[in-house]
Amino acid sequence: MTSTSLRIRIDGSAGSAASYEQLRAQIADRARTGKLPAGYKLPTVRGLAEELGLAANTVAKAYRALEADGVIETRGRNGTFVAAAEGSSREAAQAAQAYAERAHRLGLTEAEALEAATTALRARYAAA
């Protein structure tokens, strides 16, 4: 069973680790190495369970363990995201996620959104 969006692979053969533990470990590893950057929105529990062919409770258990470890954070109805390691990084990741969502709602392409953000950052840091 493999997730196309996260590239998670669950080994269902005898002797392999429990499915929730495999999922937890792979997400934690990808977050630690930056393959899943801070602020990355994870699939819903049901969506990922369906994609991997797992029970929703299995994915929920992995998400609860990751949240307890500080790897991910749930923002109510906004979803579940990879958490930032420290306070300022966490706040920056949340601001970036909010900007990305706003730019998408405004109909900007990724290139247009990046250009707007880059222009604003250059202007701000040049003034410092």
Side-chain angles (χ1 to χ4, degrees), residues 15-95:
S16 59
S19 297
Y20 87 90
E21 178 55 29
Q22 291 179 56
L23 178 59
R24 185 210 59 77
Q26 289 179 58
I27 291 175
D29 179 63
R30 283 167 176 73
R32 187 182 72 256
T33 61
K35 290 177 183 171
L36 290 177
Y40 179 87
K41 187 174 184 176
L42 294 167
T44 64
V45 167
R46 286 186 183 158
L48 187 55
E50 193 173 292
E51 193 173 342
L52 291 171
L54 298 172
N57 285 340
T58 301
V59 175
K61 185 175 183 178
Y63 275 21
R64 282 192 304 273
L66 288 162
E67 192 162 24
D69 292 343
V71 175
I72 65 173
E73 60 187 7
T74 300
R75 300 180 194 160
R77 291 184 163 199
N78 290 324
T80 303
F81 299 83
V82 173
E86 52 190 66
S88 60
S89 293
R90 180 183 311 263
E91 193 171 328
Q94 288 172 340

Side-chain angles (χ1 to χ4, degrees), residues 114-128:
L114 282 170
E115 179 61 31
T118 301
T119 299
L121 286 167
R122 285 184 180 143
R124 174 62 189 106
Y125 283 94

Side-chain angles (χ1 to χ4, degrees), residues 91-118:
E91 193 171 328
Q94 288 172 340
Q97 183 63 37
Y99 171 72
E101 290 173 8
R102 179 78 185 268
H104 187 265
R105 279 194 313 270
L106 291 171
L108 298 178
T109 65
E110 182 178 348
E112 291 168 335
L114 282 170
E115 179 61 31
T118 301

